[in-house]
Amino acid sequence: MAAGSSSTSRGSLPKFLENLSGAGKAIGVLTSGGDAQGMNAAVRAVVRMGIYTGAKVYFIYEGYQGMVDGGANIVEADWESVSSILQVGGTIIGSARCKAFRSREGRLKAALNLVQLGITNVCVIGGDGSLTGANIFREEWSGLLEELAQNGKISEEAMKKHGYLNVVGMVGSIDNDFCGTDMTIGTDSALHRIIEVIDAIMTTAQSHQRTFVLEVMGRHCGYLALVSALACGADWVFLPESPPEEGWEENMCIKLSENRARKKRLNIIIVSEGAIDTQNKPITSEKIKELVVSQLGYDTRVTILGHVQRGGTPSAFDRILASRMGVEAVIALLEATPEIPACVVSLNGNHAVRLPLMECVQMTQDVQKAMDEGRFKDAVKLRGRSFEGNLRTYKRLAIKLPDDQITKTNCNVAVINVGAPAAGMNAAVRSAVRVGIAEGHKMFAIYDGFDGFAKGHIKEIGWTDVGGWTGQGGSILGTKRTLPGKYLEQIAEQIRVHNINALLIIGGFEAFNSALVMAKARDSHEEFCFPVCVVAATISNSIPGTDFSIGCDTSLNVLVQTCDRIKQSASGTKRRVFIIETMGGYCGYLANMGGLAAGADAAYIFEEPFDIRDLQSNVEHLTEKMKTTIQRGLVLRNESCSENYTTDFIYQLYSEEGKGVFDCRKNVLGHMQQGGAPSPFDRNFGTKISARAMEWITAKLKESQGKGKKFVTDDSICLLGMRKRNLLFQPVTELKEETDFEHRIPKEQWWLKLRPLMKILAKYKASYDVSDSGQLEPVRQRGTQGEEPADI
């Protein structure tokens, strides 16, 4: 099966995995510290990628304790050892605190246990404490081996042969408290648990007009509290890095009573377990409850989420992140030399990078130091751009200044949804409306897409009108696929009537197409000479100019949860293959990434043509698989991947060819993938990207103020997208060149580079381009001249 795109940004010849051999090498993998959902996906990726390269891979059970104790705690893993663990939370190889490893004597025992098995490559999945321990071990390694040789525990030959230890770290922590990476493994899943609880609580709170105080994990880091507050529109949030100002008790009570006065029937307050005031004194959930009851007399309840946040099945995002990181960690180990310092595999925007482990650990410790010394602004900055951006956005959206304190711009900005509904659209609209009002604009909502625009279904929309929208699926404004082309006259008339000065379009491929139509219409209708920004929202993730669109994460989670249930049903009935059809039009994103996250054996997509020989090879692959202990198969098919090889055709072919070996079932997921409450990722991404789009619109409108300027240049109709590490405003006319309009997809898609990973982890031979991997990068505040760093 062919691999994905192999071009590289550096212009050099692509470098392929086949040139990196693990033959003769032994890799140990361990999980340490607190458990996190997605750790198993990382372990699976390390084991399978290691075996694929020819290395021996060993499980080190119970973290460093197992390394010190040795014996049955260090066991060679095979391909089947990591089967059916993708969907399991926690860590199957265990995690334990280890006092012994903190002493040199303990590390001496650990070194002996590793050397006896020839393990000189260690992959550590854990938090900053676990990674610091690994680095100390690495630095002491040659000294430990010398001591073992002197004591006659190992031979001189063994000491020379295993002279240095390579260490690569991956951060598994639900708190997202490690500097240098935008996301740690487990954070997204923990947010899923929190948001599920908040959504459930909101319905009961609304019924009884209650106030709920929710305490979430994060002893030293407020990321979970901050992002869940952003994702549910909480009234107030307490974080360790950013304590409330003096007099917060009175300010909070005023805010809560103002919200009640605006007919809001519930209040949600989110508290990080490590929340403190400016004097470094704890702010507890009970203290907040007592304050609300004594000052306002509101019916108030406290819910402490506790270890629920660590539990449950990992989200699609965490499985994909962990799989990418695990593969990258093995490549880093194979490329390591004694001169290269220990590294940690991190996520920068949508790009996997390697950073010096100890620099990241130092920066993480600097955050705590800044908090201890009361330098809270520094603490927020050190947490990184993602944290800083989230905090700024939350403050803008949660706290409305009095009208007399907002400088009015006398500009009217409209928001419209176009295309099919996508979860997260409402969060994006809410964000746009509130940021627009905060910037001094009058905000208008256009109902029912361009049909509604032409008919004048336009109303001014206020701050409170969008309250509670973040958790709603679909599109509250209503959305249609109609393009503006046939309504240009009527739309121009409505623009004049309502004096609209700028437009934000949130939607799918039709939104992008509509912007192109409007760009062309400027020649004949001067009404369209205003700033237009497009924010991509479609479950297919098929829009040029952005790696992610709002809605695709929610859809991916629905797909992966369904695959989990289907695989579970197969575990009772042995030797069964499931063929599942996904949505996505001609774009194979859902099928491909769903395949990676669910552990599929094959995923058929339009972007990679296949024929009967490929189908035959997949059947043979599954026939071989049925001889092992893994007696079930999962095959995904994108709905438009082929005109002739339909789901029915593939089902019948597999059924016929698999007769006597396995039986088949098929499933068409259909519109189920469009529905449901948006995932935390989609709420957060929609909120942030839409806020940024409104800031761009404001900047454009300020440029023209007092000049009566008409916007005619290409850079005034843009699509805002996230590409690798950066947020980019790209003129839609330039993106035309990158678009396959017949199939409504970009000509080049970043995720095709991950396609070989799915195949490798399913035991196929595949050519994987590792050109983007490589050099260690410094840990720095990202973003060079003219670039705006993206964060997830």
Side-chain angles (χ1 to χ4, degrees):
M1 295 170 85
S5 155
S6 61
S7 60
T8 84
S9 55
R10 291 199 282 272
S12 57
L13 287 169
K15 182 171 66 169
F16 290 102
L17 180 67
E18 290 86 305
N19 305 327
L20 290 171
S21 170
K25 293 189 177 182
I27 299 170
V29 58
L30 66 101
T31 52
S32 177
D35 64 314
Q37 307 97 317
M39 277 184 165
N40 287 327
V43 169
R44 172 181 178 266
V46 170
V47 169
R48 291 195 167 176
M49 192 64 167
I51 292 171
Y52 181 85
T53 63
K56 277 187 175 184
V57 186
Y58 289 84
F59 285 149
I60 301 173
Y61 287 99
E62 310 307 334
Y64 290 117
Q65 190 65 55
M67 199 189 273
V68 172
D69 295 345
N73 290 300
I74 307 177
V75 177
E76 189 175 349
D78 61 24
W79 198 271
E80 290 168 46
S81 312
V82 289
S83 172
S84 301
I85 67 168
L86 260 176
Q87 67 273 26
V88 180
T91 163
I92 60 152
I93 55 176
S95 181
R97 304 208 178 279
C98 179
K99 211 173 175 183
F101 193 75
R102 292 181 185 173
S103 67
R104 186 176 167 87
E105 194 185 341
R107 293 194 288 274
L108 202 61
K109 286 181 186 172
L112 177 61
N113 291 328
L114 293 189
V115 168
Q116 285 171 339
L117 293 166
I119 300 170
T120 53
N121 298 281
V122 176
C123 181
V124 180
I125 307 161
D128 61 334
S130 309
L131 300 179
T132 305
N135 193 60
I136 292 167
F137 191 41
R138 178 185 188 269
E139 286 174 348
E140 288 182 354
W141 181 260
S142 55
L144 293 169
L145 261 54
E146 275 174 29
E147 195 174 324
L148 288 168
Q150 281 164 12
N151 297 341
K153 297 275 178 73
I154 62 168
S155 65
E156 290 280 334
E157 191 189 343
M159 184 185 82
K160 285 175 186 161
K161 187 180 176 187
H162 306 302
Y164 65 92
L165 179 73
N166 297 317
V167 169
V168 172
M170 280 185 270
V171 193
S173 161
I174 66 164
D175 294 339
N176 202 26
D177 56 355
F178 193 80
C179 293
T181 186
D182 284 351
M183 276 294 244
T184 57
I185 296 165
T187 305
D188 188 67
S189 302
L191 285 169
H192 272 259
R193 299 298 91 79
I194 295 168
I195 293 302
E196 282 160 16
V197 171
I198 292 174
D199 284 353
I201 275 174
M202 279 174 117
T203 53
T204 181
Q206 213 147 11
S207 306
H208 297 278
Q209 283 196 288
R210 278 191 181 134
T211 296
F212 266 90
V213 181
L214 268 99
E215 185 181 300
V216 301
M217 279 184 162
R219 204 171 308 139
H220 304 292
C221 178
Y223 186 88
L224 289 177
L226 176 56
V227 174
S228 47
L230 200 56
C232 74
D235 298 77
W236 203 270
V237 66
F238 292 92
L239 316 168
E241 296 90 342
S242 181
E245 290 167 8
E246 296 291 338
W248 63 268
E249 295 92 340
E250 191 186 344
N251 291 337
M252 184 183 78
C253 290
I254 291 168
K255 168 90 191 300
L256 297 180
S257 54
E258 277 177 359
N259 283 348
R260 283 288 168 98
R262 292 190 191 116
K263 304 284 189 289
K264 189 176 181 185
R265 290 181 60 84
L266 78 155
N267 300 113
I268 300 278
I269 299 164
I270 296 180
V271 191
S272 183
E273 64 177 325
I276 48 174
D277 63 17
T278 48
Q279 307 308 309
N280 260 307
K281 289 187 182 134
I283 297 176
T284 64
S285 39
E286 276 303 328
K287 181 182 173 179
I288 295 162
K289 177 192 169 178
E290 284 162 19
L291 179 71
V292 175
V293 171
S294 63
Q295 297 291 313
L296 300 170
Y298 292 168
D299 184 2
T300 306
R301 300 283 192 275
V302 172
T303 301
I304 297 172
L305 267 64
H307 280 72
V308 166
Q309 294 155 90
R310 284 196 189 282
T313 187
S315 66
F317 182 94
D318 270 331
R319 297 183 199 193
I320 292 165
L321 175 67
S323 299
R324 286 174 75 178
M325 299 286 140
V327 166
E328 184 67 28
V330 171
I331 296 166
L333 284 170
L334 297 183
E335 291 182 337
T337 65
E339 296 73 43
I340 299 174
C343 74
V344 61
V345 180
S346 298
L347 187 72
N348 182 334
N350 183 32
H351 194 61
V353 294
R354 297 180 203 167
L355 302 174
L357 190 150
M358 286 320 291
E359 277 187 42
C360 295
V361 168
Q362 186 57 55
M363 206 162 159
T364 304
Q365 290 167 353
D366 287 347
V367 178
Q368 190 57 50
K369 194 175 172 216
M371 283 155 61
D372 293 342
E373 292 171 2
R375 294 182 288 110
F376 296 109
K377 281 186 178 167
D378 291 346
V380 168
K381 234 178 178 45
L382 284 163
R383 272 275 176 249
R385 299 189 72 105
S386 172
F387 191 91
E388 213 179 347
N390 284 329
L391 185 57
R392 190 176 60 250
T393 307
Y394 173 76
K395 284 178 176 171
R396 292 199 79 178
L397 299 179
I399 299 155
K400 182 184 184 292
L401 288 172
D403 285 342
D404 57 3
Q405 286 182 35
I406 298 172
T407 310
K408 299 288 183 286
T409 61
N410 298 321
C411 291
N412 296 344
V413 179
V415 185
I416 187 171
N417 287 164
V418 181
M425 271 183 165
N426 298 321
V429 172
R430 169 187 175 268
S431 173
V433 167
R434 290 197 168 178
V435 171
I437 290 168
E439 297 278 13
H441 311 314
K442 249 190 197 176
M443 296 302 296
F444 286 83
I446 299 169
Y447 295 86
D448 301 324
F450 282 105
D451 279 0
F453 203 161
K455 291 170 185 164
H457 297 170
I458 304 166
K459 279 186 196 161
E460 189 179 346
I461 189 165
W463 188 276
T464 52
D465 297 332
V466 291
W469 279 31
T470 49
Q472 306 280 325
S475 164
I476 294 170
L477 293 185
T479 179
K480 291 195 173 173
R481 293 178 181 272
T482 318
L483 295 180
K486 58 179 181 177
Y487 295 127
L488 287 176
E489 289 293 342
Q490 296 97 311
I491 291 169
E493 173 66 19
Q494 293 300 333
I495 292 170
R496 278 198 305 277
V497 169
H498 293 91
N499 190 24
I500 292 169
N501 305 105
L503 180 66
L504 175 64
I505 308 175
I506 300 165
F509 201 84
E510 290 85 359
F512 168 62
N513 242 335
S514 300
L516 285 170
V517 169
M518 291 170 85
K520 206 172 175 186
R522 284 175 166 183
D523 297 337
S524 51
H525 298 81
E526 66 169 6
E527 291 83 359
F528 293 108
C529 296
F530 57 19
V532 177
C533 189
V534 179
V535 166
T538 164
I539 67 163
S540 310
N541 202 24
S542 56
I543 297 183
T546 186
D547 288 357
F548 294 110
S549 58
I550 300 163
C552 66
D553 182 73
T554 305
S555 193
L556 200 52
N557 276 293
V558 171
L559 168 60
V560 169
Q561 284 160 12
T562 309
C563 289
D564 285 353
R565 286 174 187 165
I566 284 169
K567 279 167 79 175
Q568 194 175 27
S569 78
S571 64
T573 333
K574 301 287 185 201
R575 305 192 180 193
R576 182 163 281 176
V577 174
F578 285 90
I579 294 148
I580 297 173
E581 183 185 301
T582 73
M583 289 180 86
Y586 284 97
C587 181
Y589 177 83
L590 287 176
N592 187 67
M593 301 306 266
L596 184 57
D601 295 283
Y604 300 117
I605 60 171
F606 169 77
E607 290 89 346
E608 189 178 275
F610 58 96
D611 58 24
I612 197 74
R613 289 182 296 264
D614 295 315
L615 292 169
Q616 184 62 41
S617 134
N618 294 148
V619 171
E620 285 163 11
H621 183 87
L622 284 162
T623 306
E624 284 303 305
K625 189 180 177 184
M626 296 300 158
K627 293 174 186 172
T628 69
T629 56
I630 321 167
Q631 295 181 349
R632 50 156 189 29
L634 180 67
V635 174
L636 300 184
R637 178 189 176 273
N638 168 244
E639 60 183 351
S640 302
C641 65
S642 167
E643 210 177 320
N644 298 315
Y645 299 128
T646 61
T647 303
D648 282 337
F649 177 91
I650 293 172
Y651 164 69
Q652 284 163 358
L653 176 79
Y654 272 60
S655 299
E656 185 60 36
E657 294 293 316
K659 251 185 196 161
V661 182
F662 57 80
D663 64 351
C664 280
R665 295 287 184 275
K666 66 174 174 179
N667 221 313
V668 177
L669 296 187
H671 281 71
M672 195 169 100
Q673 289 166 271
Q674 263 182 354
S679 68
F681 180 96
D682 278 330
R683 297 182 196 199
N684 188 16
F685 187 59
T687 297
K688 288 201 290 190
I689 204 158
S690 191
R692 184 65 194 91
M694 283 306 300
E695 287 167 4
W696 177 85
I697 283 173
T698 302
K700 286 282 174 199
L701 291 171
K702 275 184 182 164
E703 275 176 31
S704 69
Q705 262 179 350
K707 299 173 190 167
K709 178 185 166 187
K710 290 284 178 196
F711 292 89
V712 290
T713 53
D714 286 349
D715 67 354
S716 59
I717 298 195
C718 282
L719 180 136
L720 171 57
M722 177 178 154
R723 293 188 116 169
K724 267 195 178 175
R725 306 183 188 211
N726 297 310
L727 274 182
L728 302 173
F729 287 93
Q730 303 143 101
V732 290
T733 48
E734 285 178 17
L735 291 174
K736 260 167 84 172
E737 303 305 312
E738 299 178 22
T739 309
D740 170 356
F741 283 94
E742 186 191 343
H743 300 106
R744 297 157 57 92
I745 54 173
K747 287 177 183 171
E748 281 190 27
Q749 311 208 58
W750 68 272
W751 51 265
L752 280 170
K753 287 198 88 167
L754 298 184
R755 186 151 171 78
L757 291 193
M758 189 201 81
K759 297 174 184 176
I760 288 168
L761 298 177
K763 217 173 184 175
Y764 286 94
K765 282 283 173 203
S767 194
Y768 181 49
D769 178 7
V770 294
S771 304
D772 279 346
S773 305
Q775 304 310 307
L776 274 185
E777 298 187 10
V779 183
R780 56 189 159 79
Q781 291 298 324
R782 303 197 309 271
T784 53
Q785 196 76 39
E787 288 181 349
E788 185 174 339
D791 64 72
I792 288 183

